[in-house]
Amino acid sequence: MRKIIVYNAISLDGYHTGVGNDPSVMFPMMGDVFNTYNAELLRSADAQLMGRVSFELFQSFWPRVAENPDSEEFSDSERELSQAGKAVKGIVVSDTLQGNWQGVRIIRRQDAYRQIAELKRQEGKNILITGSRTLWNDLLAQDLIDEIHLLIGNLILGQGVPVFAGKAPASLRLIDTRRWEGSDSVLLRYEVIQKSA
Amino acid sequence: MRKLIEATFVTLDGVISDTVPSTAPHASPEKWGSPYWDDEHGGYAAKLFFASDAMLLGRVTYEGFAASWSSRKGEFADRFNSLPKYVASRTLTGPLTWNATLLQGDVAAEVARLKQLPGQNIIKYGTGELDRILMKHNLVDEFHFWIFPVFVGGGQRLFDGFDTTHLKLVDISRFQSGIVVHVYTPK
């Protein structure tokens, strides 16, 4: 069966974003490594699940890369990621997102567990979740997440939005670690062995 | 010069322990950490410990360690108990038990002085208020963060409320249990 894989960049003190859900505090640690690995994951996927907040953040940036692939405004790793995402269908879980987004499917929350479980049963490549902390925390508690890949940065934020807000602990099995030349980040890949509550 | 080395256990979501007073008992490292404490874990801890001949502690860790270690016996425990300790506290008054000396006055200057003395490394277990001073004065030479493969979801966080700090990654060690120790130096 295809897997649902979560990919997040986090700080050493376990934050997903900074105060006020500001993602920019994470940019120094993310660099090209984050995009390069994200592209690798996208090439193994044919769907990307998102919460509304992450979807809106991605929409504010990635369409510009796709429309201006030769612009010097963007880095090689951003172009690579944009390219890797072309064949991947976007699915947003939200009750408030309105409008008709081309190539994007919207799932309402009351129906989300059933539809996502159904999606997993269908034939296909993996399903990727990047960012979208609220969504994947919830899906983890429903036992719908198979793997969690965390890019752990070399930074301590001191405050921010925690990556995990579950009420009970979740245990994972370490699959693999990876480092990149010239990067202070560490990729830790885990398989979910015990869902949280 | 001898190094000041910090070693601490952290969950994937950055939790180090329960709060004081207790609001998240499941955040105590005995709860989430103990299933992973095996020979490989012990071996790494012993290597760090036997390369040190002094311990630096904040008051909270000092009180917890003194209570739980004083009566233990064995090669590790005997050395743990007999090693000289230096304790930073704004509330304790000397003399202290468990071979400990209270650091008084300018703690940063005192720690800098200890680092100039001949000897093996100085080991510091646990993180907390004392680290505000140590990190501000760039006195920690190495951080060994033991990243456990668990999410806990609440409790006391690593360096809670500290200023944003970037470190330099120097090494990682992966254990069979799923713990990965990340070693950083100041950037």
Side-chain angles (χ1 to χ4, degrees):
Chain A
M1 197 163 72
R2 68 212 297 217
K3 294 180 204 164
I4 299 189
I5 297 173
V6 169
Y7 175 46
N8 276 188
I10 62 172
S11 66
L12 270 167
D13 45 353
Y15 294 110
H16 173 258
T17 48
V19 174
N21 209 16
D22 174 9
S24 69
V25 293
M26 305 299 290
F27 294 164
M29 68 147 279
M30 288 163 67
D32 289 338
V33 161
F34 182 86
N35 290 341
T36 301
Y37 186 65
N38 199 351
E40 182 180 325
L41 287 172
L42 276 174
R43 287 190 287 265
S44 77
D46 60 11
Q48 181 168 13
L49 268 174
M50 292 160 274
R52 179 189 52 82
V53 176
S54 291
F55 173 69
E56 287 175 350
L57 178 70
F58 300 158
Q59 277 297 319
S60 71
F61 182 76
W62 292 103
R64 286 199 290 122
V65 185
E67 286 155 20
N68 307 284
D70 300 323
S71 166
E72 286 181 8
E73 192 188 341
F74 307 114
S75 69
D76 286 346
S77 72
E78 286 166 345
R79 274 189 280 271
E80 183 192 4
L81 182 54
S82 172
Q83 186 65 28
K86 277 187 177 163
V88 176
K89 186 175 176 59
I91 304 169
V92 183
V93 178
S94 169
D95 288 343
T96 54
L97 186 66
Q98 302 298 330
N100 191 5
W101 300 87
Q102 198 185 356
V104 174
R105 174 176 156 196
I106 300 172
I107 297 179
R108 299 305 178 194
R109 289 172 68 169
Q110 67 171 53
D111 209 23
Y113 303 149
R114 192 188 60 76
Q115 291 213 33
I116 290 166
E118 171 58 29
L119 204 61
K120 283 186 74 172
R121 281 191 294 270
Q122 292 169 6
E123 287 290 308
K125 296 165 83 177
N126 290 332
I127 300 160
L128 182 64
I129 301 179
T130 56
S132 308
R133 173 195 77 111
T134 311
L135 173 65
W136 76 253
N137 276 208
D138 188 31
L139 297 181
L140 181 65
Q142 296 297 319
D143 213 7
L144 285 166
I145 302 294
D146 299 284
E147 290 182 12
I148 299 175
H149 301 188
L150 297 170
L151 189 69
I152 303 197
N154 59 322
L155 84 160
I156 289 144
L157 285 180
Q159 53 184 336
V161 178
V163 68
F164 180 74
K167 288 187 177 56
S171 298
L172 308 171
R173 190 182 72 78
L174 183 69
I175 305 170
D176 186 17
T177 67
R178 205 192 286 189
R179 288 174 65 182
W180 287 265
E181 187 73 39
S183 168
D184 287 313
S185 296
V186 181
L187 178 73
L188 302 180
R189 301 201 290 171
Y190 300 93
E191 182 181 39
V192 176
I193 53 173
Q194 185 197 312
K195 63 173 183 168
S196 67
Chain B
M1 195 169 74
R2 67 209 299 217
K3 290 178 183 170
L4 173 58
I5 296 180
E6 285 212 12
T8 201
F9 301 161
V10 194
T11 70
L12 271 174
D13 53 333
V15 173
I16 53 170
S17 71
D18 191 4
T19 56
V20 183
S22 174
T23 58
H26 63 280
S28 141
E30 288 77 20
K31 295 279 169 55
W32 49 261
S34 55
Y36 304 94
W37 296 344
D38 58 9
D39 286 351
E40 213 173 357
H41 171 99
Y44 191 102
K47 205 172 126 195
L48 274 183
F49 175 66
F50 284 100
S52 311
D53 63 3
M55 221 182 275
L56 176 64
L57 300 161
R59 198 245 323 150
V60 177
T61 310
Y62 164 69
E63 289 176 344
F65 276 12
S68 63
W69 281 90
S70 294
S71 60
R72 292 193 208 176
K73 297 274 179 262
E75 189 198 358
F76 192 91
D78 288 349
R79 191 168 185 271
F80 205 83
N81 286 321
S82 65
L83 221 61
K85 287 103 188 166
Y86 299 94
V87 180
S89 170
R90 290 174 297 234
T91 53
L92 290 176
T93 49
L96 304 178
T97 59
W98 202 45
N99 298 311
T101 306
L102 187 62
L103 295 180
Q104 287 172 313
D106 184 345
V107 169
E110 282 294 295
V111 172
R113 186 184 61 80
L114 289 174
K115 286 178 64 176
Q116 295 293 340
L117 298 176
Q120 292 180 282
N121 294 330
I122 303 168
I123 186 98
K124 177 175 177 295
Y125 297 109
T127 55
E129 282 303 302
L130 173 56
D131 289 304
R132 285 186 195 273
I133 297 169
L134 298 178
M135 287 163 74
K136 183 177 164 205
H137 291 87
N138 218 15
L139 287 164
V140 181
D141 298 286
E142 279 178 25
F143 297 89
H144 293 238
F145 296 120
W146 308 52
I147 314 285
F148 284 66
V150 288
F151 289 117
V152 166
Q156 194 184 324
R157 297 187 157 275
L158 180 69
F159 301 131
D160 194 9
F162 280 37
D163 291 340
T164 296
T165 307
H166 288 83
L167 302 172
K168 181 176 163 46
L169 179 72
V170 290
D171 197 17
I172 64 169
S173 296
R174 176 186 174 175
F175 300 163
Q176 280 298 321
S177 64
I179 291 173
V180 183
V181 184
H182 297 207
V183 182
Y184 298 89
T185 56
K187 195 151 182 135

